[in-house]
Amino acid sequence: MTSAKDYPASAAAETRTLTGLDTRLVSCRACPRLVARREETAHVKRAAFRDWEYWGRPVPGFGPKDASLVIAGLAPAAHGANRTGRMFTGDQAGDLLFATLHELGLASHATATHRDDGPELHGVRVTAPVHCAPPANLPTTGERDTCRSWLVRELQLLRPTARSVVVLGGFGWQATLPALRQAGWNVPRPRPSFGHGVRTTLAPSDGTTTPLTVFGCYHVSRRNVSTRRLTPAMLREVLAEAAHAAGLPVVRPRAE
């Protein structure tokens, strides 16, 4: 019998589709601290959302199975995706990301507030290295590593179509590059350093797919936006470049 700790690796390895992966992921209870946090938050709630039935489970990726651009964040927000059940949905970070994707023609809607509000992503899939909301938005390295199996398998399933990846934030960068290596791309040693606007091209380790271009971008967190470490124009520029590298048509970003 598979233990809760071993569940991510065994369950992810057995999946053959993204739909199957998402179904298995939402049953994961591998990290006791994260399980306690996500469920406590769903029970206590925030006053503004007291009428909501919180999702309170691992949050799967969102987007088409043939996405050519992957966006990897950090982890679900306690009262954002942990509440709504969809990545980058229901908080200020998601508001900016969806608005920017819509402006570029990569999302059908400029807003995303709950699981059934209808947005579709065009050639883009959003995901995270950690799928449960962590205390203080800081997963431990052990939680990051335990959750990596889900991201590795997701990237493996996207390999036939994935052409670029945007990684949001330094934590996401440190977590995603090893997952990309395990999923079948050559990552240089030492690994490239994170920075906003940094890009690196990874060759497939078996030569069967085209190279993957990885972009670094400051996270769309409320703090980064409020301090203007990340502006909407900076985000648009990185996403537009990544979409171009992925072969996706985009609306020309407006000058700001």
Side-chain angles (χ1 to χ4, degrees):
M1 182 176 179
T2 302
S3 67
K5 183 178 180 180
D6 295 332
Y7 177 77
S10 61
E14 292 170 359
T15 58
R16 296 294 178 266
T17 66
L18 285 174
T19 299
L21 186 74
D22 294 346
T23 298
R24 288 174 175 256
L25 184 149
V26 299
S27 299
C28 187
R29 301 182 66 85
C31 301
R33 191 181 77 116
L34 298 187
V35 171
R37 171 62 171 168
R38 79 193 191 205
E39 294 180 354
E40 177 189 17
T41 304
H43 175 70
V44 175
K45 303 182 181 181
R46 178 173 283 174
F49 306 122
R50 61 181 178 273
D51 295 330
W52 274 77
E53 181 178 347
Y54 274 53
W55 175 256
R57 290 176 279 171
V59 181
F62 172 62
K65 64 183 180 180
D66 58 350
S68 54
L69 167 58
V70 181
I71 300 174
L74 189 162
H79 301 282
N82 185 59
R83 171 173 58 91
T84 64
R86 189 171 66 203
M87 284 289 177
F88 288 104
T89 298
D91 60 15
Q92 290 182 334
D95 291 345
L96 176 58
L97 182 61
F98 269 89
T100 306
L101 290 171
H102 179 260
E103 185 177 354
L104 293 171
L106 302 174
S108 63
H109 292 49
T111 59
T113 58
H114 57 87
R115 281 178 61 81
D116 299 318
D117 57 358
E120 295 181 358
L121 298 180
H122 306 315
V124 179
R125 184 170 174 91
V126 292
T127 188
V130 176
H131 288 272
C132 294
N137 292 323
L138 290 173
T140 67
T141 55
E143 290 162 351
R144 176 200 67 191
D145 294 346
T146 297
C147 206
R148 183 176 295 153
S149 296
W150 299 116
L151 181 59
V152 170
R153 188 61 183 143
E154 187 172 16
L155 292 168
Q156 287 174 336
L157 292 169
L158 288 166
R159 270 193 69 182
T161 58
R163 299 294 177 264
S164 68
V165 176
V166 173
V167 183
L168 302 175
F171 180 96
W173 186 264
Q174 293 300 320
T176 301
L177 288 182
L180 287 168
R181 179 181 57 79
Q182 289 182 241
W185 286 277
N186 289 322
V187 176
R189 296 181 184 274
R191 292 199 297 261
S193 298
F194 172 75
H196 183 82
V198 165
R199 70 164 69 187
T200 186
T201 300
L202 308 181
S205 54
D206 61 3
T208 61
T209 56
T210 59
L212 185 77
T213 307
V214 183
F215 296 79
C217 179
Y218 290 144
H219 198 281
V220 287
S221 68
R222 180 169 58 182
R223 172 179 290 185
N224 281 347
V225 174
S226 64
T227 61
R228 296 190 65 77
R229 188 182 194 207
L230 177 71
T231 65
M234 291 167 65
L235 177 63
R236 267 201 313 275
E237 182 178 8
V238 172
L239 290 179
E241 290 180 0
H244 178 74
L248 295 173
V250 298
V251 176
R252 182 180 297 275
R254 61 179 174 80
E256 195 172 65

